[in-house]
Amino acid sequence: MKNTEQSFYANNQMHRHFVIAITTLIIALLMYVLSSRIDREALNLELAQFEFRLAEIRAAVVLKEAALVAKNQMALAGEYEGTNPMDWMKESSHYLGEMSLEAAAGQTGKWVYDPSRQVIAYQFINKEFMQEKIKSDSNWLQFKVFALWSKEKNIKEAKGLVLRKIDEKK
């Protein structure tokens, strides 16, 4: 009887260790899957935030163009080429201000306006993700306000404003 009790206790103890090992393995596997999904969602959140802010900047450029049209001052559109579109917006979250791209190098996930290059730029937190989704090898995604000029010969007249992506490897 004593032998049976000991073997029952030994089997029960071994069974507990087995259950603990399997439980730990399942928890570790679930944590790995959960962490990879959280990382992917964080990347998708950054992309959505970037696209939302870019849409706001483009809308600010369109509103500036509309203001020029409304005031019958479209001829002045050329003066806005290379200006900071963030100045035309009331709110500017995720915006560091005006500084060189080199000075803002460590500030990923933020917008910055470089007055020397006359570009508004964004640096993604995850560069590999940027290369995959945006198809860019640059450290910064750069955009610039351009005036749309008349295509008629000998007439240099601005017809509108547009925000365009600049391809520059910096």
Side-chain angles (χ1 to χ4, degrees):
M1 184 74 130
K2 196 174 195 179
N3 192 16
T4 310
E5 286 178 15
Q6 283 181 342
S7 76
F8 175 75
Y9 178 74
N11 285 339
N12 195 18
Q13 192 72 7
M14 195 161 87
H15 178 60
R16 285 184 187 166
H17 289 303
F18 179 72
V19 168
I20 290 172
I22 293 298
T23 303
T24 304
L25 183 65
I26 290 171
I27 289 172
L29 182 64
L30 289 174
M31 295 268 299
Y32 173 75
V33 169
L34 182 63
S35 69
S36 66
R37 287 188 179 178
I38 288 174
D39 288 343
R40 187 173 58 231
E41 287 306 311
L43 294 173
N44 287 335
L45 179 65
E46 181 186 9
L47 181 63
Q49 181 268 328
F50 163 76
E51 289 174 343
F52 180 73
R53 176 58 68 188
L54 182 60
E56 285 181 327
I57 295 169
R58 284 195 167 121
V61 172
V62 169
L63 286 173
K64 179 52 88 175
E65 179 183 16
L68 290 172
V69 168
K71 294 176 185 176
N72 200 20
Q73 297 176 337
M74 189 51 75
L76 300 176
E79 295 175 15
Y80 291 101
E81 196 166 81
T83 59
N84 185 356
M86 293 301 242
D87 291 341
W88 304 331
M89 299 172 62
K90 280 186 178 179
E91 180 192 322
S92 54
S93 63
H94 303 287
Y95 176 60
L96 294 175
E98 293 186 7
M99 63 182 72
S100 71
L101 298 183
E102 291 78 17
Q107 302 290 330
T108 58
K110 306 282 186 203
W111 289 88
V112 64
Y113 179 76
D114 187 335
S116 63
R117 291 183 176 98
Q118 297 182 329
V119 296
I120 183 87
Y122 182 83
Q123 187 176 30
F124 273 89
I125 295 169
N126 187 323
K127 187 174 181 207
E128 292 80 25
F129 181 73
M130 181 178 81
Q131 290 172 338
E132 176 185 321
K133 286 280 190 182
I134 309 295
K135 309 286 190 252
S136 175
D137 292 331
S138 175
N139 288 333
W140 291 91
L141 282 177
Q142 300 176 41
F143 301 88
K144 184 174 182 177
V145 175
F146 285 99
L148 299 175
W149 298 101
S150 174
K151 292 187 178 187
E152 296 176 30
K153 292 182 180 179
N154 301 327
I155 298 177
K156 186 157 173 104
E157 183 180 344
K159 297 289 186 180
L161 293 172
V162 68
L163 184 74
R164 287 192 184 139
K165 183 179 174 201
I166 305 294
D167 293 321
E168 184 179 322
K169 297 183 191 240
K170 291 280 176 186

